[in-house]
Amino acid sequence: MRNAPTILHLDMDAFYASAEQASKPSLRGKAVVVGGLGPRGVVATASYEARVFGVRSAMPMAQARRLAPNAAYLVPRFGFYRAISEQVMGLLHALSPLVEPLSLDEAFVDLEAGEAAWDEASARLVGEKLRADIRAGTGLTGSVGLAASKMLAKIASEEAKPDGLVLIEPGTERALLGPMPVRILPGVGPATGDHLRRAGITTVDELAEAGEDELVRLLGKAHGHALYAMALARDDRPVVAEREAKSVSVEDTYDVDIHDRLRVGMEVQRLAERCVRRLRGAGLSGRTIVLKVRRYDFSTLTRSETLRGPTDDPAVVREAAARLLDSVDTTGGVRLLGVGVSGLADYTQEDLFAQAAGVGESEEAAAEHSVEEGSEGAVEAQAAHDERRWAAGHDVRHAEFGHGWVQGSGLGRVTVRFETPQSEVGRVRTFRVDDPELEPAEPLPLVVERPGAAVGGVGG
């Protein structure tokens, strides 16, 4: 443990939902829920206004709709969130070479390693400036925890929410942790929490009083030792610089089980294309292609194929995924499909291109050959694609009315609210889904920098 609170934990406040509110003036101060909107969808993030009704992350979307029927329900825009995250992570990397991202909206920073802070006063100044820079650069808020260990810094940021800063002074850790519930500690999930409760242990003080031997008896050697140390506020885990990704994958859950084998094949091809785009976007290639299939009865099958060397060629990944699908029985229906690439490298082995069937064939031609023209499966897949094109919350542009976002679609119609992050609350209009003047658009920046201005060293 350190003698100064020089480990910082940043957690952006209700990140996805807050980004949507900042992007859409009509949703500011309103209940917003982001996640999968189908009957099997789950909540990714709920705004603080939605949390008042009991909506929480990972909750089934159907339950969220019952709790907050009047909330705005939006499909995630991960590219948009990723761009904001890159701005925020840029600010963190300016503070220290040791930044440990946990997700798009959360990270640890070792301020001592970057010589950004060395005592309570300097750490507090860094934390307050970081919060101000995040607000200026992105228009969003983040909560900051500062402490002498990672565990305590994360607990501090939870206490700081929303939009605050909490610094835990060295020497006060035991007194602070004592009355807190055991679930506050890392590694204490619902199952462990229930097990401890049945043993009469509900607070961190009671955990410490139980003693190390009793915790080992209850939870096993590794878990028992670790929890006892944490109960005594001991946590020597270092901040680890950004870890390399072990795999790149994409998956979709379908509102209605897919029974048509041709449609399943088309979805796998589409997922393979998406996976390769993400792979190339990260400047990576991989050797092992993985197919994930969750069937109608919730049984999940995983199949994989390892190539001779790494590739980022879409035809190779498509062909491998198709071969893997051939070994899976989808007769009863499919509820989830996923395609991934592991065994990552930052180079591509060129001779692998020959593994793809129809080498030299264009991607457009390969896609065309993957489905019979005019088949029922192709029509069904195209209809599903058209429906997904106008996802609730996603950006659009109209030739006459300009930039807006989709409020909803169905029955051949799409409803759009025309507004931008910098505008007043906009008007709502409805169009045919095939209106030639309406098209998908890229998100607009939340903050428009003034000419010549630089905010916190973050680019626009």
Side-chain angles (χ1 to χ4, degrees):
M1 291 278 291
R2 303 183 178 193
N3 296 319
T6 53
I7 292 181
L8 180 148
H9 182 260
L10 170 72
D11 197 350
M12 299 294 288
D13 300 320
F15 182 45
Y16 299 166
S18 294
E20 297 296 349
Q21 290 174 317
S23 178
K24 302 169 172 63
S26 57
L27 297 185
R28 293 170 190 169
K30 306 284 182 63
V32 174
V33 181
V34 179
L37 301 191
R40 293 171 178 162
V42 297
V43 175
T45 307
S47 69
Y48 287 99
E49 295 86 354
R51 295 180 191 187
V52 170
F53 297 98
V55 180
R56 295 289 184 270
S57 298
M59 173 182 287
M61 191 61 76
Q63 183 182 356
R65 288 185 183 276
R66 289 193 295 271
L67 292 171
N70 297 319
Y73 289 86
L74 308 177
V75 175
R77 297 184 292 164
F78 289 112
F80 178 51
Y81 310 145
R82 194 170 291 110
I84 299 171
S85 174
E86 288 172 359
Q87 285 185 276
V88 173
M89 295 301 166
L91 290 171
L92 301 185
H93 281 288
L95 295 175
S96 173
L98 291 184
V99 176
E100 183 178 343
L102 305 179
S103 62
L104 289 178
D105 61 336
E106 185 181 1
F108 288 109
V109 184
D110 187 336
L111 300 178
E112 192 174 293
E115 299 183 353
W118 50 91
D119 59 13
E120 293 176 31
S122 57
R124 187 179 295 277
L125 283 174
V126 168
E128 293 292 5
K129 184 177 186 303
L130 174 64
R131 292 177 58 240
D133 287 346
I134 289 171
R135 184 187 290 273
T138 69
L140 304 180
T141 63
S143 295
V144 167
L146 291 157
S149 71
K150 290 169 69 172
M151 177 186 74
L152 291 162
K154 184 171 174 62
I155 290 172
S157 70
E158 284 296 320
E159 295 293 308
K161 282 186 168 294
D163 190 20
L165 181 149
V166 167
L167 183 149
I168 298 177
E169 298 178 8
T172 67
E173 295 94 348
R174 288 287 304 277
L176 175 79
L177 281 177
M180 289 185 169
V182 292
R183 287 290 303 275
I184 200 74
L185 298 179
V188 182
T192 301
D194 286 344
H195 193 48
L196 290 170
R197 179 179 53 78
R198 288 194 295 271
I201 300 171
T202 59
T203 68
V204 176
D205 264 343
E206 290 168 346
L207 199 64
E209 290 167 5
E212 189 168 12
D213 291 343
E214 177 65 9
L215 294 179
V216 167
R217 187 187 68 79
L218 286 171
L219 304 171
K221 187 173 182 180
H223 204 182
H225 284 315
L227 278 188
Y228 182 68
M230 289 181 183
L232 299 180
R234 297 174 187 161
D235 178 21
D236 295 321
R237 293 173 301 157
V239 175
V240 180
E242 189 168 357
R243 293 180 288 266
E244 293 183 2
K246 294 183 179 179
S247 65
V248 172
S249 63
V250 296
E251 62 181 44
D252 275 348
T253 300
Y254 303 98
D255 295 343
V256 178
D257 290 347
I258 304 174
H259 292 84
D260 182 83
R261 182 71 178 189
L262 182 58
R263 167 81 188 281
V264 173
M266 291 183 64
E267 289 294 317
V268 168
Q269 297 293 292
R270 183 179 61 81
L271 289 166
E273 295 281 354
R274 279 175 53 196
C275 183
V276 169
R277 284 198 296 271
R278 294 182 69 173
L279 196 68
R280 287 182 166 181
L284 297 170
S285 58
R287 296 184 66 231
T288 302
I289 315 303
V290 181
L291 176 71
K292 177 180 177 181
V293 180
R294 180 166 298 149
R295 299 188 290 191
Y296 70 98
D297 59 356
F298 286 90
S299 62
T300 302
L301 303 177
T302 302
R303 300 286 185 269
S304 64
E305 175 180 319
T306 298
L307 308 174
R308 292 195 304 272
T311 184
D312 66 351
D313 185 276
V316 173
V317 178
R318 282 198 308 264
E319 289 291 326
R323 286 193 296 273
L324 294 170
L325 180 62
D326 287 341
S327 66
V328 178
D329 180 11
T330 61
T331 306
V334 170
R335 59 191 293 122
L336 177 147
L337 290 168
V339 174
V341 178
S342 61
L344 301 182
D346 57 2
Y347 66 93
T348 301
Q349 189 165 312
E350 297 294 334
D351 63 2
L352 281 175
F353 294 166
Q355 292 187 23
V359 66
E361 185 178 51
S362 70
E363 291 185 26
E364 292 81 2
E368 187 175 320
H369 294 164
S370 68
V371 59
E372 293 180 33
E373 188 173 349
S375 69
E376 289 184 6
V379 172
E380 182 184 358
Q382 184 60 45
H385 172 75
D386 289 343
E387 184 178 335
R388 284 194 297 269
R389 189 183 186 208
W390 307 116
H394 283 217
D395 299 84
V396 295
R397 176 167 291 280
H398 190 274
E400 180 181 353
F401 302 111
H403 192 94
W405 58 277
V406 176
Q407 284 205 164
S409 63
L411 302 176
R413 300 283 176 178
V414 55
T415 300
V416 177
R417 185 180 289 274
F418 290 96
E419 60 186 7
T420 70
Q422 287 76 41
S423 75
E424 300 294 324
V425 173
R427 291 190 59 182
V428 175
R429 299 180 185 274
T430 300
F431 308 90
R432 299 192 319 274
V433 293
D434 59 352
D435 190 315
E437 295 192 315
L438 188 68
E439 61 182 7
E442 292 297 316
L444 297 176
L446 298 181
V447 174
V448 177
E449 291 186 16
R450 297 183 303 276
V455 180
V458 180

